Amino acid sequence: MKTIFNFLLYLLGFFFILGGFMTLTEGQTVPALFILSFGILLLPKVYQEVKQKFPKIKKLYYITLTIFTFIFGMISLGNKTLEEIENLKQTNSGVILSEINSGKIENNTGKIEETLNALIKRSSELIANGGINSIKAQIEINDKFINENGTLDTKKLNSLNSGLKGLLETLEKEEKEGKPEWLFTAFKDKLTDEVKEVYYVTSKNSVEQKFPYKTTNAQLVVRKSKSNLDVYIKIQSGQILTYNRTATLRFDDKKAFNVGINGSNDSDSTYGFLDSENKIFEELKKSKRLRIQIDLYQNGGVVFDFNTVGFKDALIKNKD
């Protein structure tokens, strides 16, 4: 009988010790210490030592066991209840967001504040990473909510909604015209100390070439300073023919025209410098597309297609 009793004490002791550690991992230090202490006191060896010093502990033991069991049960139940409440909150938020996204906004006192917070959260997410269709739908929902709740403080939602409208306008423009692809760099001439600005864009297409040359795209480069302007085309592989040659340019759907093309000072045949730089420069500021035909060694005339949207904006952005 005594062996069974000791076994039960060990079992209960380890149970409470384990429960104490679990409670400790959840950040509840004080309850964890109580549970751990009680679990240790339940161990037969510890219990015998305590009983020798306190002979009346046997009667108190059962009372203490009952109290600690009750406390442990309440803590466990409390944790479960808190978890259920948190899950319920998340579920409710999910339902509200679902209603918002489907256009079903419930205009009642109980949900109105929660709906506003959900709208603010969703709008912030879309500003950070939203597509055109999602943003359009959210703007419509926000407008409806703001109009139906004129007495509510919707300043933050109004501000976010304005941001969404601006973002939508930009995204729609980029979708229609093509995303600006101009890159910019600048350097100082070591001899003259003059700053040279370089704007460049890569062709949308590549062309295949006969052996030993590889498939290549092209870069259209505008290099400008206060005293000079160059417009040239650069390929990755192959040779641009420039001697007694011309390049044909066509901006948007305008009539194509020819300009002279020249080699670089160091005879690098991957470069072709275009004449009529000022004309090309002005056309680039108002065009969306430029096609350039040049002659490549052993590969004849090839056409490179460039998206030129945003060149004027790039000039303004990087203006001294």
Side-chain angles (χ1 to χ4, degrees):
M1 188 70 179
K2 188 176 180 181
T3 304
I4 296 173
F5 182 70
N6 285 340
F7 173 76
L8 290 173
L9 285 176
Y10 273 117
L11 189 64
L12 284 170
F14 284 121
F15 173 75
F16 277 97
I17 290 170
L18 180 62
F21 279 116
M22 290 177 65
T23 307
L24 190 63
T25 59
E26 293 174 0
Q28 302 182 52
T29 308
V30 175
L33 291 175
F34 273 106
I35 296 168
L36 281 169
S37 300
F38 184 64
I40 292 170
L41 288 171
L42 279 178
L43 299 176
K45 287 188 178 181
V46 177
Y47 173 68
Q48 291 299 329
E49 290 291 330
V50 173
K51 192 172 71 170
Q52 286 179 5
K53 293 182 180 181
F54 305 97
K56 295 182 180 181
I57 193 68
K58 189 172 183 180
K59 292 181 180 179
L60 292 173
Y61 166 74
Y62 293 106
I63 297 172
T64 308
L65 175 62
T66 303
I67 293 171
F68 268 92
T69 303
F70 175 76
I71 292 172
F72 182 75
M74 290 301 293
I75 290 171
S76 300
L77 182 61
N79 288 340
K80 185 177 180 181
T81 304
L82 288 172
E83 185 178 349
E84 287 174 349
I85 290 171
E86 187 61 32
N87 288 337
L88 183 60
K89 284 182 179 179
Q90 292 176 1
T91 302
N92 287 341
S93 296
V95 170
I96 290 170
L97 284 175
S98 177
E99 291 174 353
I100 290 169
N101 290 334
S102 63
K104 298 175 182 177
I105 300 176
E106 294 188 22
N107 187 14
N108 63 64
T109 307
K111 280 191 175 181
I112 198 166
E113 195 70 33
E114 197 171 356
T115 301
L116 175 61
N117 291 332
L119 283 168
I120 290 171
K121 180 182 178 183
R122 178 61 175 160
S123 297
S124 300
E125 290 171 351
L126 288 175
I127 285 178
N129 186 24
I132 289 177
N133 292 333
S134 299
I135 291 173
K136 275 184 179 178
Q138 191 64 39
I139 289 171
E140 185 178 344
I141 292 165
N142 290 350
D143 284 338
K144 182 179 179 182
F145 181 86
I146 292 167
N147 291 334
E148 291 179 354
N149 297 278
T151 58
L152 198 66
D153 184 5
T154 57
K155 288 181 181 178
K156 187 171 183 180
L157 183 59
N158 263 316
S159 177
L160 287 168
N161 211 35
S162 296
L164 283 174
K165 289 176 181 178
L167 178 59
L168 177 63
E169 185 179 345
T170 301
L171 291 175
E172 286 181 332
K173 183 178 179 181
E174 288 180 355
E175 185 180 59
K176 183 179 179 181
E177 299 179 350
K179 188 176 180 180
E181 297 174 351
W182 287 93
L183 299 176
F184 170 79
T185 187
F187 65 94
K188 183 180 286 188
D189 189 290
K190 293 181 180 179
L191 181 62
T192 64
D193 288 335
E194 191 174 32
V195 175
K196 295 189 176 183
E197 300 172 4
V198 181
Y199 302 85
Y200 57 101
V201 64
T202 302
S203 63
K204 296 189 290 184
N205 67 311
S206 299
V207 296
E208 294 183 4
Q209 300 186 89
K210 296 177 182 177
F211 183 81
Y213 304 111
K214 300 177 182 178
T215 298
T216 184
N217 57 16
Q219 285 186 332
L220 176 66
V221 184
V222 177
R223 184 174 64 195
K224 65 183 287 286
S225 63
K226 291 182 179 179
S227 62
N228 193 43
L229 174 65
D230 292 309
V231 179
Y232 60 89
I233 190 167
K234 169 78 168 68
I235 59 174
Q236 309 303 316
S237 174
Q239 298 184 54
I240 300 174
L241 299 177
T242 58
Y243 182 71
N244 283 337
R245 305 278 176 152
T246 59
T248 303
L249 282 67
R250 187 182 185 190
F251 286 96
D252 298 324
D253 294 325
K254 296 179 180 179
K255 186 178 179 180
F257 61 94
N258 295 330
V259 298
I261 185 168
N262 306 287
S264 64
N265 291 334
D266 61 359
S267 300
D268 186 339
S269 57
T270 60
Y271 288 82
F273 284 77
L274 304 175
D275 291 340
S276 304
E277 303 93 336
N278 290 312
K279 179 180 180 179
I280 296 171
F281 183 81
E282 292 303 319
E283 288 290 340
L284 283 172
K285 289 195 287 186
K286 53 190 178 184
S287 68
K288 298 176 183 178
R289 183 185 185 190
L290 169 61
R291 283 161 284 181
I292 302 178
Q293 179 175 301
I294 56 175
D295 294 325
L296 298 183
Y297 179 64
Q298 292 185 347
N299 290 279
V302 298
V303 176
F304 290 103
D305 195 348
F306 298 92
N307 174 10
T308 57
V309 171
F311 179 65
K312 185 176 181 180
D313 292 336
L315 290 173
I316 295 171
K317 180 180 178 182
N318 298 290
K319 189 176 181 180
D320 290 338

